[in-house]
Amino acid sequence: MGLLFLAEWLLPLLLLCAPLSHASPAKSYVVYLGPHKQGAEVTERDIDAVRTSHYNLLGSILGSSERAHQSIIYSYTHYINGFAAVLDDAEAAEIAKNPNVLSVFPNKAKELHTTRSWHFLGLEKDGGVIRPDSIWEKARFGEDTIIANLDTGVWPESASFSDEGFGPIPSRWKGICQQGIKDKFPCNRKLIGVRYFDKGYIAEGGIVTAENATARDFAGHGSHTLSTAGGNFVHNVSIYGFAKGSAKGGSPSARVAAYKVCWPPVSEDQGGCFDADILAAFDTAIADGVDVISFSVGGDPSEFFSDSIAIGSFHAVAKGIPVVASASNSGPKAGTVTNVAPWLFTIAASTLDREFRSYVALGNRTHLVGTSFSARGLPAEKFYPLITAVDAKAANATITDAILCKPGTLDPNKVKGKILICLRGLTPRLDKGVQARKAGAVGMILANDEADGEETKPDPHVLPVSHINYRDGLTVYAYYASTRSPVAYITRARTVLDTKPAPFVAKFSSRGPNTIEPAILKPDITAPGVDVIAAYTEAPDPEQPYEPILPYNLLSGTSMSCPHVSGIVGLIRTAYPKWSPAAIKSAIMTTAVSRDNRKLPILDSSFKKANAFDYGAGHIRPSHVLDPGLVYDLGRYDYINFLCGRGYTTSMIRVFEDEPYTCPPKFSISNFNYPSITIPGLRNWTAVYRRVTNVGPPGKYVARVDEPEGVAVSVRPSVLVFKETGEEKEFNVVFKTKAGVRTGEYVYGSLVWSDGKHIVRSPLVVRHQ
Ligand SMILES: *[C@@H]1O[C@H](CO)[C@@H](O)[C@H](O)[C@H]1NC(C)=O
Ligand SMILES: *[C@@H]1O[C@H](CO)[C@@H](O)[C@H](O)[C@H]1NC(C)=O
Ligand SMILES: *[C@@H]1O[C@H](CO)[C@@H](O)[C@H](O)[C@H]1NC(C)=O
Ligand SMILES: *[C@@H]1O[C@H](CO)[C@@H](O)[C@H](O)[C@H]1NC(C)=O
Ligand SMILES: *[C@@H]1O[C@H](CO)[C@@H](O)[C@H](O)[C@H]1NC(C)=O
């Protein structure tokens, strides 16, 4: 009865609710109104007026200014004009019709692109002594350049951010040290400012409590990236006794500021760095007076006028602030690179010449090289019995679970005192070690499956572990099957330096071509991003309770390569404060190398020859960036012309440029003065124009071309004579298809200008159509 009653009672209510269910649930959106006029000092009054205009605009659609006040989560008031608001679909569609509104896009999540490195880059000699001719000395260690990082915040007590020896904060700094609700945040003369942006995160379901409403970094990512770009030299750093040495930032004398825009992921399929927060951080960082922005975050690329990263970074670059961004970790598949706007500096990741090795000896005297970060060795120097996880399976477990050493799948009676073989995959690598030890193993061999191939990881396991590649895994399984009493030994891990080949491009590093604008090569360059040591969070990790707290930690990703370049950009800013972001980027790109430490072409992680879609112009070479000879410069209007070339209408252009702008007739993107040249559809022939500026002494430069396969390339003129510094010269490059080429395939070459001393190299990328 009761149930029936309930149903009868529910029916009319459901009907009543029906019309409401047509209205979509409220979501948050970014409403973009264009840039603010630049120039004159902005007063509090101006900012209030802008804010009021946002309430009035939205109020006219929602019916009241009061509702607009409830709905708006951010007003962007400095360089970006717009707001973020919680709206339903119909309201979002309505506001998009307003003539003042240039674009409306949903507030979506982006994700993080999860030190030996400076030695490898040629900044110091063996033993960590800084070379007197190093860029560090020449650029005064990045003195007083202000580097901003948009990331997960910062761990302020880290020695990497101590202000010992730093003078007063540069007076042009306008930022703040935003206090947490409960966290008293200690900024200082090194870590000069922090802010956190959580409104876009909260609007999409993120939870921020009084305890975690702070710019403090609970994840470790932001401290790692910021200390790589601008952290102090910190001596005597090691991780479990490995990789002993100093942790160093690229611009160690720089001041740093953290803008926290990334929070724990909202759900499994949604990240924790939201558009509305990212845009707010860009707008504020520009106004705070930062000199370099480092951004190890990204999402799927989209057209520039509806991409918060492209819009936010455009305004920074237009103000002369270089923005360095990670290429993403979705490699090695083609077309996976993100952060592809031509004003961004997009960084791929490659290895260092350092490995953490442990050797596996099998009972039949075969020795294999594995990777390990386990400081402890086996209890005794002798062979131990070997067992596969499948043979060590508990009675109630399945073979497919046991082979992966999942929790509760191993029988301690079978494992005790042995070396256990586990397969990589599905469960965390560290957890497999925990399960092996729980079952009583003395050591573990972690073997890759076919998909993981060559890539092995040094992890801080709780027992001696050697992580081996797929091929060696097959050998171990074959040896195990070949004998009745298989035995093995694992050596203690040790740090091996000067490994060859190095660098090679990391498997995870995202690859070109650029899916938004194929005529712009992306990534732009590669830098160290594998097993990089830098500062970390000192907050305990509830999900990894068996891991000790590490003030310094080893991480891999384009997130790690990006701040290496930000640090070098910081040095160039100190040395040449007047150089444009494009000139800085050109100097770094044209001096990059495409050969490794064997003087052979750089390889990828399968040890095949890599190309410009893997590493852009090549591997960064800091020793040469302060003296590039020539640069390919670009200014604000070059970028606008680029957008004209993409066919942007007047209203789309207004997203980037407030003043009325008339596009030059028939501007071709191929003539956009980028330091690389990409022709995605070559038919018969084409000519592209470039302009170089002499930033060195007077000199005579001669062109030399390494032709892509099936293309005849000529440069006119092929000699450029510069009488003074600052002089500009134009030239064109003609590409002609040779007979019998295969269409649809990309081919690679290079153009070099040289005066005998400087080598100004640009990659050439062509696809025959
Ligand atoms: C803040 O802490 C709460 C409670 O511990 C947790 O649910 C939430 O996910 C945390 N949020 C962030 C942003 O760390
Ligand atoms: C380096 O650290 C170790 C232990 O962590 C300590 O014994 C040693 O004295 C330190 N060396 C220097 C130069 O600080
Ligand atoms: C098997 O049984 C043990 C002991 O009862 C239990 O701890 C474990 O979780 C079980 N494993 C599976 C895969 O069900
Ligand atoms: C040991 O066994 C493996 C697997 O059968 C085999 O590949 C390897 O050649 C053997 N080593 C020696 C020295 O026989
Ligand atoms: C361009 O190439 C096509 C074939 O690829 C050929 O038919 C055509 O004659 C060529 N045009 C010129 C102007 O060379």
Side-chain angles (χ1 to χ4, degrees), residues 504-526:
F504 60 86
V505 180
K507 183 177 170 199
F508 60 74
S509 186
S510 283
R511 305 310 210 260
N514 181 337
T515 52
I516 301 293
E517 178 45 73
I520 298 293
L521 177 66
K522 290 286 172 174
D524 290 308
I525 198 160
T526 189

Side-chain angles (χ1 to χ4, degrees), residues 686-759:
T686 191
V688 308
Y689 290 81
R690 285 293 185 273
R691 184 181 71 241
V692 281
T693 310
N694 180 30
V695 294
K700 182 172 116 181
Y701 280 83
V702 179
R704 195 177 71 226
V705 173
D706 170 22
E707 291 179 342
E709 199 186 322
V711 190
V713 181
S714 53
V715 182
R716 288 185 212 141
S718 62
V719 176
L720 299 174
V721 178
F722 294 92
K723 296 200 190 70
E724 56 198 74
T725 304
E727 205 177 335
E728 287 189 355
K729 296 260 180 214
E730 286 191 4
F731 61 92
N732 68 47
V733 187
V734 178
F735 295 82
K736 277 199 187 113
T737 303
K738 290 181 186 167
V741 296
R742 267 185 299 187
T743 56
E745 235 170 76
Y746 278 100
V747 283
Y748 311 90
S750 64
L751 162 66
V752 171
W753 285 104
S754 182
D755 62 352
K757 176 168 180 276
H758 303 93
I759 292 174

Side-chain angles (χ1 to χ4, degrees), residues 201 207-209 212 263-264:
Y201 176 66
I207 295 162
V208 179
T209 61
N212 49 34
W263 305 86

Side-chain angles (χ1 to χ4, degrees), residues 442-736:
V442 291
M444 177 173 83
I445 294 173
L446 180 61
N448 273 353
D449 59 13
E450 195 166 5
D452 282 314
E454 292 290 319
E455 186 216 49
T456 57
K457 303 294 293 176
D459 295 314
H461 284 285
V462 294
L463 79 173
V465 170
S466 188
H467 184 175
I468 58 176
N469 64 25
Y470 174 62
R471 206 170 3 91
D472 290 345
L474 292 180
T475 304
V476 171
Y477 284 111
Y479 160 72
Y480 181 80
S482 73
T483 167
R484 288 208 9 222
S485 47
V487 293
Y489 181 74
I490 302 173
T491 67
R492 193 187 299 271
R494 77 194 169 87
T495 310
V496 182
L497 301 177
D498 300 313
T499 58
K500 292 187 168 87
F504 60 86
V505 180
K507 183 177 170 199
F508 60 74
S509 186
S510 283
R511 305 310 210 260
N514 181 337
T515 52
I516 301 293
E517 178 45 73
I520 298 293
L521 177 66
K522 290 286 172 174
D524 290 308
I525 198 160
T526 189
V530 175
D531 301 336
V532 173
I533 294 176
Y536 204 57
T537 181
E538 290 172 44
D541 181 350
E543 304 210 336
Q544 313 262 349
Y546 36 81
E547 257 198 281
I549 287 172
L550 294 172
Y552 287 82
N553 206 350
L554 194 68
L555 299 181
S556 297
T558 51
S559 280
M560 281 65 238
S561 57
C562 162
H564 275 91
V565 178
S566 308
I568 299 298
V569 169
L571 294 175
I572 303 178
R573 284 293 305 226
T574 298
Y576 307 123
K578 298 227 168 73
W579 277 21
S580 70
I584 292 174
K585 175 166 152 183
S586 173
I588 294 176
M589 284 173 68
T590 62
T591 56
V593 284
S594 59
R595 299 199 168 244
D596 62 22
N597 60 2
R598 307 163 308 160
K599 310 254 184 286
L600 294 172
I602 291 177
L603 304 177
D604 65 18
S605 65
S606 310
F607 289 176
K608 295 203 188 84
K609 191 176 163 189
N611 62 48
F613 286 145
D614 302 313
Y615 56 57
H619 191 257
I620 189 170
R621 189 162 48 153
S623 57
H624 286 60
V625 301
L626 289 182
D627 187 19
L630 309 176
V631 295
Y632 294 79
D633 207 356
L634 289 162
R636 179 186 185 92
Y637 291 102
D638 294 304
Y639 297 118
I640 305 284
N641 287 345
F642 164 84
L643 297 170
C644 295
R646 265 191 78 65
Y648 275 33
T649 61
T650 309
S651 72
M652 287 157 144
I653 298 274
R654 271 180 54 216
V655 170
F656 299 90
E657 173 57 38
D658 199 38
E659 302 294 327
Y661 187 76
T662 312
C663 283
K666 290 208 232 150
F667 179 83
S668 164
I669 289 176
S670 62
N671 298 329
F672 179 67
N673 203 37
Y674 215 63
S676 56
I677 301 177
T678 306
I679 307 190
L682 180 65
R683 266 197 218 139
N684 300 2
W685 71 278
T686 191
V688 308
Y689 290 81
R690 285 293 185 273
R691 184 181 71 241
V692 281
T693 310
N694 180 30
V695 294
K700 182 172 116 181
Y701 280 83
V702 179
R704 195 177 71 226
V705 173
D706 170 22
E707 291 179 342
E709 199 186 322
V711 190
V713 181
S714 53
V715 182
R716 288 185 212 141
S718 62
V719 176
L720 299 174
V721 178
F722 294 92
K723 296 200 190 70
E724 56 198 74
T725 304
E727 205 177 335
E728 287 189 355
K729 296 260 180 214
E730 286 191 4
F731 61 92
N732 68 47
V733 187
V734 178
F735 295 82
K736 277 199 187 113

Side-chain angles (χ1 to χ4, degrees), residues 394 396-398 401 407-409:
N396 59 348
T398 64
D401 283 347
T409 61

